[in-house]
Amino acid sequence: MPSKTIRILFTAKKEQAEIINALLMSVDCLGLEESISGTYEVFFSEAHFDKDFVNEVFISQQVDYRLSEIKDQNWNSIWEESFLPVIVGDYVAIRAAFHEEIKNVKHDIIIHPRMSFGTGHHATTWLMMDAMQQLNFERKVVQDYGTGTGILSILAEKEGAASILAIDNDPQCILNAGENIILNTCEKITLHLGEKPGLQNSCDIMLANINKNILIKNMDEILSATRKGGSVLLSGLLEGDEEQMRAALKTHSIENLQIRKMEGWISILLNSTWL
């Protein structure tokens, strides 16, 4: 018997909707749709629907919502058909194989658009890619902690990294990242299913696009895994997380931060002077 699909219907300001949608996408949301009128529909399989978590998300944004059940559908197929290319200036484009090649960008990355986090559409992935332009990846050892679709690892290899360790705790993300690595003929990325960053002093550049709680919980490992003089780029963070992140980094005597903002989200770059 096919499982049920739960639909959440709500209306919110764009800034609130961005936050709600991102939080729901982080817990196995099947997909979302937006109408011109500003009404949003978010879909969950019954097996992955956490009513308490959903309620907390909407209470935090002071937004009302309605729940209903609908006939089950092939959401991956529907989502793939609606996938649009993502372009970060003239630096990088993210597209599916069925899109035409995107000209006038330094890097053209192809992905198989499954519903793993990190397709480039979310503001935090965009912020990470935008900030990566500042870093010198040539012959560097890189860790991509919370790799998702593997986009940041692929971009790091295209930027000349010597090796990349791509870590995620979700087997589906590892599978999708593996598909995308093959699509982009990458040879220097090693995938690892796990919860923690790699060994101490094991990388020159640490990329970690996850969320505030995981970043703070694993900050000791994130920093110790990065060699002296290296760079750490963090995201998955709301603007409201900035104060807590500053406090967490201050305990490590790190206060020199470069912060980018987009649609209520931020990225934090720790300069090579942080050690």
Side-chain angles (χ1 to χ4, degrees), residues 108-150:
D108 181 36
I109 294 176
I110 303 171
I111 69 168
H112 190 83
R114 299 193 188 278
M115 287 186 294
S116 303
F117 179 82
T119 60
H121 289 82
H122 191 271
T124 60
T125 311
W126 198 100
L127 285 165
M128 292 288 287
M129 293 188 293
D130 187 48
M132 285 171 70
Q133 296 181 81
Q134 291 189 48
L135 304 178
N136 177 12
F137 285 87
E138 193 69 33
R139 294 187 294 278
K140 297 295 194 303
V141 176
V142 177
Q143 281 194 45
D144 179 10
Y145 180 43
T147 191
T149 54

Side-chain angles (χ1 to χ4, degrees), residues 4-22:
K4 297 176 183 176
T5 298
I6 307 298
R7 178 175 65 179
I8 303 171
L9 181 67
F10 69 95
T11 301
K13 295 179 180 177
K14 183 174 178 58
E15 293 78 10
Q16 290 174 303
E18 287 280 351
I19 294 169
I20 291 169
N21 289 336

Side-chain angles (χ1 to χ4, degrees), residues 155-221:
L155 181 56
E157 177 163 336
K158 288 180 177 291
E159 281 286 284
S163 66
I164 305 102
L165 177 63
I167 304 167
D168 207 288
N169 66 355
D170 185 339
Q172 292 304 312
C173 287
I174 294 295
L175 287 172
N176 189 206
E179 291 177 315
N180 296 331
I181 287 167
I182 292 170
L183 278 174
N184 291 276
T185 61
C186 291
E187 299 176 345
K188 299 176 181 178
I189 302 170
T190 301
L191 291 169
H192 175 68
L193 180 65
E195 299 280 348
K196 297 282 186 180
L199 299 174
Q200 186 172 356
N201 294 324
S202 58
C203 70
D204 303 299
I205 298 174
M206 172 69 72
L207 308 172
N209 184 23
I210 310 180
N211 64 53
K212 177 194 68 179
N213 293 334
I214 293 177
L215 291 176
I216 290 176
K217 179 181 178 181
N218 294 285
M219 191 58 69
D220 287 347
E221 290 89 346

